[in-house]
Amino acid sequence: MYLATTGRRDAPAPPRTGGAGRRVPGTVLALGTVSLVTDISSEMVTAVLPLYLVLGLGLSPLQFGFLDGLFNGAAAVVRLLGGHAADRGRGHKRVAGIGYGLSALSRLGLLLAGGATAGIAAALATDRIGKGIRTAPRDALITLSSPPEALGRSFGVHRAMDTTGALLGPLAAFALLWATADAYDAVFVVSFCVGLLGVLLLVMYVPGQHRPAPAEKTTPPERKVLGALRDPAFRRILGAAALLGAATVGDAFVYLLLQRRLDLPVGWFPLLPLGAAACYLLLAVPAGRVADRVGRRLPFLYGHVALLGVYATLLAPAGGPALFLLVPVLVLLGIFYATTDGVLMALAGPVLPADGRAGGLALLQTGQALARMLAAAGFGAAWTVWGPSPALWAATAVLLAALVGGWALLPRNPSATPAPEGPEARIPERRTA
């Protein structure tokens, strides 16, 4: 069990009497377990999908990239619908369950599609829609079940468990392919069964509907979709996240640049994300606890300084052993995600009303995702026109400017006047073993 030992400057001090206030809430642990199991299922497919589609079915890399990019963009927009649906009926668990269920069913879709491109596209779309639907309600459940002063720690624990699944999934997929002589169908069947287990864990162990306290501020239904934009603090957080997202070129380009600099064999390329994910796993909880202690604004900004370090390392003159380049890049990338992913949700959660939280977080996630899509497209175009090194210099300059803008935009004390919600407004905890 993780223990909290620190407070936060921009939130009330944590309870000093021990007991439940010092533990990670059971809902967070249950959601972390669901995410861990679901990520094993998801990453099993993600790890083998390029090989299956390009080498197995003969799709060109351009066709695969188009499908993957299109559906990732669609998932970013679907998040808004998932967040709105969760807030409208206060059915965060129900909407999240639908999303997890759709992702599990998509594995069967890949199995039944055979080599039909339309069937594969439908299965990929179902998976991305499921992921888009579940993300905001799940993060809203974390904020509603955690004390405000411990949100960073709660998100850190959840993201660490989620990343554990992301590490185990590819290993399980490659073990299955080795044991079954490259039988992709076996991977899809096992992935479906593991995904179904995640849905069952959600149904059995995650508490259900959040009911507001009588004094809790509510939002009229007709104002919930974009109602979060009426809050000045949320607008500034959204603006900073989008600005910094527009300077984030994406992991795929970082790994491609690493591969080019080090001349790595193609067979080693799929292992590069595991290094960054391992660092993320180790640092997610400590980063969340530090954010609770000093406030979430500075860790979020310093995380992007770590990303700036990634760019600078890749631009450094070549020379020396490969590890001198590989290790700093993967470690800095892990630091970037550990100090920005959950920390951003913990930063924004307290400024949103409880009955509009899923929609607000969905709006924040969508804005950041669309900004990152634009950044990836712009960097790809710059790489094509100028070459990789000039494109990376341009990305570094853009990130420096975005850091200055983010520093100015992010509110110093975003939760000074949080949306009213007392202890009774949080989801009642279910005891977990």
Side-chain angles (χ1 to χ4, degrees):
M1 185 70 69
Y2 292 95
L3 300 178
T5 58
T6 58
R8 199 186 76 193
R9 294 177 187 172
D10 58 358
R16 298 180 180 274
T17 57
R22 294 177 62 82
R23 299 189 185 98
V24 172
T27 297
V28 176
L29 295 177
L31 286 168
T33 304
V34 171
S35 292
L36 187 156
V37 171
T38 302
D39 252 31
I40 292 176
S41 169
S42 176
E43 295 301 323
M44 285 178 68
V45 173
T46 301
V48 303
L49 200 58
L51 298 175
Y52 174 65
L53 296 180
V54 176
L55 299 182
L57 300 183
L59 269 67
S60 70
L62 179 61
Q63 289 173 312
F64 171 70
F66 174 76
L67 286 175
D68 191 58
L70 176 65
F71 294 136
N72 276 324
V77 178
V78 169
R79 287 176 183 171
L80 294 175
L81 300 178
H84 174 60
D87 285 335
R88 188 174 183 83
R90 293 186 176 274
H92 300 86
K93 175 181 175 179
R94 181 179 67 253
V95 175
I98 292 171
Y100 282 113
L102 286 173
S103 291
L105 289 174
S106 71
R107 319 296 185 234
L108 283 185
L110 287 170
L111 184 66
L112 298 174
T117 304
I120 293 169
L124 288 176
T126 302
D127 177 52
R128 299 303 194 273
I129 289 170
K131 184 174 183 179
I133 288 174
R134 71 179 184 250
T135 301
R138 180 202 66 199
D139 286 351
L141 280 170
I142 294 173
T143 66
L144 291 169
S145 62
S146 304
E149 72 277 359
L151 278 176
R153 183 192 61 208
S154 290
F155 274 104
V157 169
H158 175 269
R159 296 308 198 253
M161 297 176 76
D162 183 272
T163 306
T164 301
L167 283 170
L168 294 177
L171 298 177
F174 284 111
L176 267 175
L177 289 177
W178 176 80
T180 60
D182 293 342
Y184 292 100
D185 290 356
V187 175
F188 298 150
V189 170
V190 173
S191 175
F192 166 72
C193 294
V194 175
L196 188 60
L197 174 61
V199 177
L200 293 176
L201 289 173
L202 178 79
V203 172
M204 293 173 62
Y205 293 108
V206 176
Q209 199 172 36
H210 162 69
R211 300 183 183 279
E216 187 178 327
K217 186 174 73 175
T218 59
T219 307
E222 67 276 6
R223 294 178 59 185
K224 285 183 182 177
V225 180
L226 299 176
L229 292 176
R230 294 179 172 85
D231 186 284
F234 179 80
R235 286 201 304 270
R236 295 178 68 177
I237 293 171
L238 174 61
L243 182 63
L244 289 164
T248 304
V249 302
D251 297 355
F253 286 116
V254 171
Y255 299 140
L256 285 172
L257 288 165
L258 262 180
Q259 194 273 336
R260 286 173 59 92
R261 282 285 305 270
L262 300 177
D263 197 23
L264 288 175
V266 175
W268 288 95
F269 186 81
L271 298 179
L272 291 176
L274 298 183
C279 294
Y280 183 10
L281 171 62
L282 293 174
L283 297 173
V285 176
R289 295 180 65 174
V290 169
D292 288 336
R293 181 181 178 88
V294 305
R296 287 106 194 203
R297 175 178 179 270
L298 288 179
F300 182 71
L301 291 169
Y302 289 153
H304 287 84
V305 174
L307 182 63
L308 190 66
V310 171
Y311 297 172
T313 304
L314 288 170
L315 287 169
L323 287 178
F324 286 3
L325 177 64
L326 183 65
V327 172
V329 167
L330 296 182
V331 169
L332 287 168
L333 199 60
I335 293 173
F336 164 66
Y337 281 111
T339 54
T340 57
D341 185 14
V343 171
L344 177 61
M345 299 299 104
L347 177 68
V351 308
L352 296 165
D355 67 336
R357 191 158 298 174
L361 293 180
L363 186 61
L364 178 61
Q365 293 161 355
T366 300
Q368 185 184 52
L370 292 177
R372 287 181 174 179
M373 282 182 60
L374 291 175
F379 185 79
W383 185 331
T384 303
V385 176
W386 301 333
S389 184
L392 191 56
W393 276 111
T396 302
V398 171
L399 181 54
L400 276 171
L403 274 167
V404 174
W407 181 276
L409 276 174
L410 278 178
R412 262 65 173 178
N413 192 14
S415 57
T417 56
E421 55 175 320
E424 67 274 16
R426 295 199 296 271
I427 298 174
E429 288 302 322
R430 180 177 298 179
R431 293 288 181 184
T432 57

